[in-house]
Amino acid sequence: MLIEHLPPESATMTALRNAAPPADLDAQAEGADPSRGRWSQTDLLLAQAIDAVNRLSHYYALVNTSGGKKPAPPAPVPRPGVPRTPDRPRITPAAAETLFQIINGTPAPPP
């Protein structure tokens, strides 16, 4: 039971993987889904860092794209046990105008 719950990068798990026949490793790899595996705190922080870099790259591409089709936003790195959420709805121009009036007390300037 203790060995089964060791982190994948531990010396014991590495030794077990190194001793496994290639056929067993291939069979395990076929059905593997990394997003359903156990993640350490470091893995989760790394996924957040990757998402942040991807968002910054997307923002950079948006700012430097003139005309034409804008690049789609990047999908976040899938996390284990976290279902994918659908895209959030965008705010409508009428809702944006109302929000602007509530915040500033004046009508928004025309775009």
Side-chain angles (χ1 to χ4, degrees), residues 58-71:
H58 178 248
Y59 297 153
Y60 181 79
L62 286 175
V63 168
N64 292 298
T65 301
S66 59
K69 186 177 178 186
K70 299 286 184 182

Side-chain angles (χ1 to χ4, degrees), residues 16-108:
L16 289 172
R17 268 193 314 277
N18 290 342
D24 288 352
L25 293 175
D26 291 341
Q28 288 178 358
E30 281 183 30
D33 182 6
S35 67
R36 298 182 69 62
R38 296 176 294 180
W39 282 26
S40 68
Q41 189 69 18
T42 305
D43 295 333
L44 291 171
L45 290 172
L46 181 59
Q48 288 177 335
I50 291 168
D51 287 344
V53 168
N54 287 343
R55 279 192 307 275
L56 289 173
S57 297
H58 178 248
Y59 297 153
Y60 181 79
L62 286 175
V63 168
N64 292 298
T65 301
S66 59
K69 186 177 178 186
K70 299 286 184 182
V77 173
R79 273 101 166 144
V82 179
R84 294 199 88 120
T85 57
D87 292 335
R88 293 184 309 185
R90 299 256 178 207
I91 189 168
T92 64
E97 172 67 28
T98 302
L99 183 60
F100 187 86
Q101 288 178 2
I102 290 170
I103 292 172
N104 296 313
T106 60

